[in-house]
Amino acid sequence: MDTYPAGGPRAAYVPVAEGRTLYGRGSADAKGSLAAMMTAFLQVATLPNRRECYLTATVDEECLLLGVKALTTHGMRPTLGITGEPTGLVPVVAQKGIVRGSFRVWGPKSHAAYPADRTAVRSAAELVRALDQINADLATGPDHPDLGSPTVMVTTMESNGGMNLGATEVTVWFDARFLPGTSGAEFTARIERDLRELLSADVDFVQDPPAFVSPPNEVSPASPLIAEFFAAVKNSAGACEPGSFSYGSEAGVLAEFCRSSLVFGPGDARYSHAEVEAIDLDELGTATEILRSILVGDQR
């Protein structure tokens, strides 16, 4: 499975065990989850009472989600989908969606010796200020009790300008995070509509098709299998306090064909891609126990 490039001796591809801690690139994100899932599957493979389950290792999670999107075409309709990520054994039941895209802004040809009143760079600067205003307005609007408000942030800019030549085209890239109940297309359409209301008519821009969309996710606690999973976490880990996050995962795509979808796994996300990446082996064992429990059902 793909993972982040190797780092120093505590983030290399060769694992190093010290006590009950395992160091190595991918140990937290997200090979700990994969190891727990594989071990749980092997433990129940020959049991007559195991549930019908599938374990899938999907590629391209960090970019276009091509692996999990291909999985949606296989005709499966699971009751529960579990995405393995380092959550510290906390079931993550809500997450924001992500859409990354760009606006292209145009302006006339110009030379620094004869500055133009309206340039692509100046228009792009106005567009960036307008996006900041939209983000501020989003913070005052309806929000989610756990996820907060949707957001939009400019991440980078590119232009075709030169040393003494004004750019005729500037690309402004953004990353937007939106709430469950909204699609990426709906949210970006809202951003473009608000921009056109804020900007003067002589700012010439167009929104490009999104480069990346990760759907949001929110679990209904009314699902019996969700309640069973929460009980398994509490029985094995001692507590179960479901959480949420604003970064992306494959759970939103799984939710498109699973009745319920959540994120769960051993490890601390702060170690992901870090100079020191590690996982607690006891936590790894507890995650395996929880997953094994849900694979066979409550046998009490």
Side-chain angles (χ1 to χ4, degrees):
M1 292 302 299
D2 57 327
T3 191
Y4 208 69
R10 291 295 182 269
Y13 293 137
V14 178
V16 177
E18 292 184 2
R20 299 301 297 163
T21 301
L22 181 72
Y23 295 92
R25 177 61 78 223
S27 55
D29 184 21
K31 309 309 175 285
S33 295
L34 184 59
M37 289 178 173
M38 292 175 66
T39 303
F41 263 73
L42 290 171
Q43 289 176 350
V44 306
T46 61
L47 297 181
N49 61 331
R50 65 178 174 84
R51 286 168 161 154
E52 181 181 359
C53 305
Y54 303 88
L55 173 60
T56 307
T58 55
V59 299
D60 198 40
E61 182 267 339
E62 293 281 2
C63 190
L64 298 177
L65 302 170
L66 295 179
V68 71
K69 286 180 179 178
L71 187 62
T72 67
T73 67
H74 286 223
M76 295 185 295
R77 295 292 180 267
T79 306
L80 173 63
I82 301 174
T83 297
E85 293 280 359
T87 70
L89 305 182
V90 173
V92 174
V93 296
Q95 71 176 61
K96 289 182 178 179
I98 303 172
V99 57
R100 298 188 183 113
S102 59
F103 294 97
R104 280 180 294 143
V105 184
W106 290 283
K109 292 182 179 180
S110 62
H111 191 284
Y114 308 97
D117 293 333
R118 168 64 63 183
T119 66
V121 171
R122 182 175 177 179
S123 292
E126 292 184 20
L127 186 140
V128 170
R129 287 195 294 270
L131 285 172
D132 286 343
Q133 180 60 54
I134 291 170
N135 187 60
D137 292 342
L138 289 170
T140 64
D143 60 9
H144 187 280
D146 298 315
L147 296 172
S149 303
T151 60
V152 58
M153 185 182 82
V154 173
T155 55
T156 189
M157 298 172 66
E158 303 168 348
S159 83
N160 64 352
M163 181 179 67
N164 58 358
L165 296 175
T168 59
E169 182 175 325
V170 179
T171 303
V172 179
W173 290 88
F174 68 89
D175 181 306
R177 309 285 166 127
F178 57 97
L179 301 177
T182 305
S183 70
E186 291 170 337
F187 193 61
T188 52
R190 173 186 173 177
I191 291 173
E192 181 175 358
R193 183 187 68 242
D194 291 349
L195 276 176
R196 297 199 181 278
E197 292 178 356
L198 289 169
L199 294 172
S200 57
D202 56 354
V203 177
D204 185 15
F205 77 93
V206 67
Q207 182 174 227
D208 295 318
F212 173 81
V213 179
S214 176
N217 182 52
E218 186 165 27
V219 173
S220 170
S223 169
L225 200 55
I226 292 294
E228 183 182 326
F229 189 82
F230 289 173
V233 172
K234 185 175 182 179
N235 290 340
S236 297
C240 180
E241 297 182 4
S244 61
F245 56 50
S246 295
Y247 53 87
S249 79
E250 295 178 330
V253 180
L254 287 178
E256 294 178 352
F257 68 100
C258 297
R259 195 170 303 170
S260 297
S261 173
L262 55 79
V263 185
F264 173 82
D268 189 330
R270 291 175 297 180
Y271 289 127
S272 300
H273 307 176
E275 183 178 351
V276 174
E277 186 164 358
I279 194 166
D280 182 279
L281 293 176
D282 292 328
E283 190 173 291
L284 182 65
T286 301
T288 303
E289 182 180 318
I290 293 166
L291 293 166
R292 183 187 186 281
S293 175
I294 203 70
L295 290 176
V296 296
D298 190 347
Q299 300 301 311
R300 292 176 297 175

